[in-house]
Amino acid sequence: MHAIAIHGGAGTLAPADLTPENERAYRAGLERALRAGFAVLDAGGTALDAAVTAVQVLEDEPLFNAGRGAVVAANGLHELDASVMDGRDLRAGAVTGVRHVRSPIELARLVMERSPHVMLAGTGAEEFALEQGLQPVPNSHFATERRRLELERMLQGQIEAGRESLMGTVGAVALDASGNLAAATSTGGMTGKKWGRVGDSPIIGAGTYAANDCCAVSATGHGEFFIRAAVAHEIASLMRYRGLDVADAADEVVMQQLVRLGGSGGVIAVGRDGRIAMPFNSEGMLRGAMDSRGLFKTGLLRE
Ligand code: ASP
């Protein structure tokens, strides 16, 4: 069996802003990414290729906070984070604070596959990108009017920092027909972030984790809390050491541990049996799931 789940962030939309046109656009974007990732699996491709493919579709789609359409930091720039993990051998790659890399998830994968490291930051990561032959893009490539206005409103105190509407991330988890799991996550972080702030998305074990013996997880939400709860790895641990299935493990972390800490957001997770869980404790989480048994769904708010 094969399966894929994706998310487009827990904070991208305020329920009040969800017009029918918005809803259609979000669902269409999610569906494109889902189908692109699923097609890789259907053709016998790996979970890693499927997860990265789905995330790249979302990075290029300006509706989501990753790649084009990423939020704006306090310095007026887009500073992007991404990470990927291959459940076959626990290899992982991550980048943080990159400004000129069109697809941060592609660079994270290159870090995993072509460097001896797991995480590269800022200018060093960009130097590596150039060495790997990636064509740099101007920082304005990521800009959208909506995100510029959000920063302005935040700086004027009209929206509080940390509000869900200022967040968002994209991610994908996949199980391929050979039983391999992979997870990928990419984000612009949080609107108005400063001092080189890094959230959970590029942190292996917090925003991203995959291991063939249990599950693949990609998170979205208020990153500081997700780091403290080591969310993605905690879900794997509950499966390994307490024997929980993927749905119970993800629920325990998102609906109990994170809630106790005060962290809002959610995760997508797929178990090695192909079961998919997509719990969130925020008002909404853009999400979708598809598997070889005929499952197809997308969702935006609570059902
Ligand atoms: N987790 C991301 C961060 O804290 C934001 C999000 O997923 O909404 O950077």
Side-chain angles (χ1 to χ4, degrees):
M1 119 158 246
H2 49 278
I4 184 165
I6 61 167
H7 69 74
T12 306
L13 79 172
D17 297 339
L18 193 60
T19 60
E21 296 92 274
N22 265 344
E23 172 160 0
R24 263 196 303 280
Y26 280 118
R27 282 196 197 269
L30 289 167
E31 184 168 342
R32 260 199 309 282
L34 205 48
R35 291 198 186 281
F38 193 74
V40 171
L41 297 172
D42 252 353
T46 62
L48 179 64
D49 282 337
V52 169
T53 298
V55 164
Q56 283 188 302
V57 172
L58 295 167
E59 284 181 334
D60 276 343
E61 167 55 69
L63 283 173
F64 303 100
N65 175 18
R68 271 182 76 212
V71 299
V72 191
N75 57 11
L77 297 173
H78 305 274
E79 299 181 336
L80 312 173
D81 303 333
S83 65
V84 64
M85 187 157 185
D86 189 337
R88 280 179 292 204
D89 46 14
L90 306 188
R91 283 187 316 157
V95 294
T96 180
V98 295
R99 297 176 177 175
H100 305 284
V101 176
R102 175 177 163 183
S103 169
I105 198 65
E106 180 183 17
L107 184 58
R109 183 173 182 169
L110 287 169
V111 171
M112 173 172 85
E113 292 180 337
R114 302 213 198 139
S115 90
H117 307 300
V118 169
M119 182 185 249
L120 299 180
T123 49
E126 302 213 339
E127 224 171 274
F128 175 72
L130 288 176
E131 279 178 28
Q132 294 300 316
L134 297 191
Q135 199 56 38
V137 294
N139 195 252
S140 59
H141 166 80
F142 305 108
T144 52
E145 181 63 3
R146 167 186 168 205
R147 298 302 191 184
R148 190 187 64 73
L149 286 174
E150 266 172 16
L151 176 68
E152 225 166 70
R153 287 171 56 215
M154 195 204 103
L155 294 177
Q156 287 165 1
Q158 291 170 22
I159 346 179
E160 237 175 278
R163 282 286 310 174
E164 284 178 8
S165 63
L166 300 177
M167 293 152 48
T169 284
V170 308
V173 294
L175 169 74
D176 66 32
S178 310
N180 299 310
L181 290 161
T185 310
S186 182
T187 192
M190 291 171 82
T191 302
K193 64 185 182 179
K194 52 185 180 181
W195 306 314
R197 179 265 184 188
V198 180
D200 61 311
S201 307
I203 309 287
I204 298 301
T208 302
Y209 189 75
N212 277 7
D213 69 326
C214 53
C215 61
V217 181
S218 171
T220 172
H222 197 149
E224 280 69 10
F225 296 90
F226 282 63
I227 294 173
R228 290 165 55 204
V231 163
H233 189 268
E234 179 72 358
I235 292 170
S237 293
L238 288 170
M239 295 179 72
R240 286 182 178 131
Y241 307 126
R242 265 197 14 218
L244 299 192
D245 69 18
V246 71
D248 288 345
D251 240 57
E252 150 111 23
V253 175
V254 172
M255 308 310 282
Q256 296 186 44
Q257 296 188 17
L258 272 175
V259 169
R260 279 199 294 276
L261 283 180
S264 87
V267 304
I268 50 168
V270 60
R272 65 194 182 113
D273 57 0
R275 280 189 66 187
I276 288 171
M278 303 193 281
F280 54 96
N281 63 36
S282 41
E283 288 184 287
M285 180 172 83
L286 308 175
R287 61 200 184 279
M290 213 169 159
D291 73 17
S292 52
R293 297 190 176 141
L295 171 76
F296 174 84
K297 65 176 174 196
T298 58
L300 308 181
L301 301 174
R302 285 203 198 101
E303 279 168 353

